[in-house]
Amino acid sequence: MVMRNIKLTLAYDGSEYAGWQVQPNGVSVQSCVEAAIEKLTQQKTGVLVAGRTDAGVHALGQVASFQTESKIPCKNIQSGLQRFLPDSICVREVEEVAADFHATYSAVQKRYRYVIHNSSVPYPFLKRYVCEFGRPLDAEQMHLGGQYLLGKHDFRCFESHFPNKATSVRTVKELTVQRTSVWPVWGADPGLSQSAASSSAEFITVDIVADGFLYNMVRAIVGTLFEVGVGRWAPEKVREIVEAMDRSQAGATAPASGLYLVQVDYDA
């Protein structure tokens, strides 16, 4: 039998999961995906993944891959897997890729987005999908602070479990903080007239693109930018924190609920 290599693009609500990776303390996204593949193909197989998201973290464009001898066409794999998956996990795309494609090691960069609802009045139905932050935040100052993270640095100051087995050096290619009306339909304004760039917009997004991320790195960066946003630290403090290479110097780890793995890029 010819072995095929199948690439999956997944979206999921991570609220009810113990994270991507199989865990002894709860249901994982990985266990659900592997169980669905086994039911569909009648073959037990392991699934590789671009990024092992933590408990409560969501994905819009997670990438996984698995090998199979099944001859099921990709479009039928997509509909077939969806039939065996919970509603909280969606198969966005299925494609057959080269034998040497590896969901983890073939990735060249990833984009994460952190969503903050910056309002003194929270929306109860968004609690699982944003970080509620009641104090006013200065998104422009947060953006300025984030620019000190661009480039290649040792980011151990934002790593929860240091030392790791490899290296804490990563290259951040983009970091953008901006206010936005991401969910204007949830507002009380029937005209939905609020500008996406309005200073009164209740949501702030932090987008980070890098060649790789350390454990809790994005959430620690956001926690640090919170300190800048409330005016406790100047934007330049972020540079000092990176240079100090000391996790205790940085901000707290922001809640998992606001974090999304948006996209994983591979060489053509």
Side-chain angles (χ1 to χ4, degrees):
M1 297 287 287
V2 177
M3 189 68 74
R4 302 164 66 203
N5 199 15
I6 304 298
K7 174 187 174 188
L8 308 175
T9 302
L10 307 167
Y12 50 82
D13 173 353
S15 304
E16 300 298 327
Y17 296 101
W20 165 267
Q21 193 172 21
V22 173
Q23 303 283 345
N25 62 329
V27 179
S28 70
V29 180
Q30 181 183 7
S31 63
C32 292
V33 173
E34 289 181 347
I37 292 171
E38 184 175 1
K39 289 176 183 176
L40 180 65
T41 66
Q42 300 299 302
Q43 298 168 355
K44 191 175 182 66
T45 183
V47 176
L48 304 171
V49 71
R52 293 181 297 178
T53 52
D54 296 333
V57 175
H58 315 291
L60 302 176
Q62 175 71 280
V63 175
S65 61
F66 68 95
Q67 295 189 329
T68 182
E69 295 177 346
S70 172
K71 296 181 179 179
I72 301 173
C74 286
K75 65 177 182 179
N76 293 351
I77 291 177
Q78 181 176 10
S79 58
L81 288 180
Q82 198 62 65
R83 190 167 72 248
F84 294 118
L85 284 168
D87 292 341
S88 52
I89 303 174
C90 173
V91 183
R92 291 182 50 200
E93 187 178 356
V94 175
E95 58 182 308
E96 190 166 345
V97 290
D100 62 353
F101 175 86
H102 192 292
T104 312
Y105 299 126
S106 298
V108 294
Q109 66 179 28
K110 300 169 193 169
R111 175 183 293 272
Y112 277 91
R113 176 172 300 138
Y114 198 88
V115 183
I116 304 155
H117 183 217
N118 189 208
S119 171
S120 59
V121 182
Y123 290 139
F125 35 80
L126 291 182
K127 280 185 175 294
R128 303 203 306 182
Y129 308 111
V130 301
C131 168
E132 295 285 2
F133 198 94
R135 296 177 62 187
L137 288 168
D138 188 327
E140 292 183 2
Q141 289 293 294
M142 293 170 69
H143 178 80
L144 289 174
Q147 302 318 290
Y148 291 104
L149 303 178
L150 296 178
K152 187 175 183 179
H153 304 283
D154 186 322
F155 285 107
R156 70 182 68 182
C157 61
F158 299 126
E159 183 176 14
S160 291
H161 293 166
F162 179 84
N164 59 55
K165 294 178 182 178
T167 174
S168 300
V169 175
R170 297 291 187 274
T171 301
V172 173
K173 304 177 180 180
E174 176 190 331
L175 199 153
T176 306
V177 183
Q178 59 185 348
R179 280 201 174 271
T180 177
S181 300
V182 215
W183 277 294
V185 292
W186 300 120
D189 178 8
L192 304 180
S193 58
Q194 192 178 47
S195 166
S198 169
S199 60
S200 64
E202 293 182 356
F203 295 93
I204 295 175
T205 57
V206 182
D207 272 75
I208 306 178
V209 179
D211 59 358
F213 291 88
L214 303 167
Y215 182 58
N216 280 346
M217 176 174 164
V218 177
R219 291 164 59 191
I221 287 173
V222 173
T224 301
L225 294 180
F226 278 153
E227 301 293 337
V228 176
V230 298
R232 186 175 292 120
W233 293 344
E236 296 78 17
K237 173 76 171 178
V238 178
R239 180 185 60 202
E240 298 172 11
I241 291 169
V242 174
E243 292 173 348
M245 294 194 292
D246 181 355
R247 178 68 186 92
S248 69
Q249 299 294 309
T253 302
S257 55
L259 186 58
Y260 295 77
L261 173 55
V262 175
Q263 183 175 316
V264 184
D265 293 328
Y266 297 85
D267 285 330

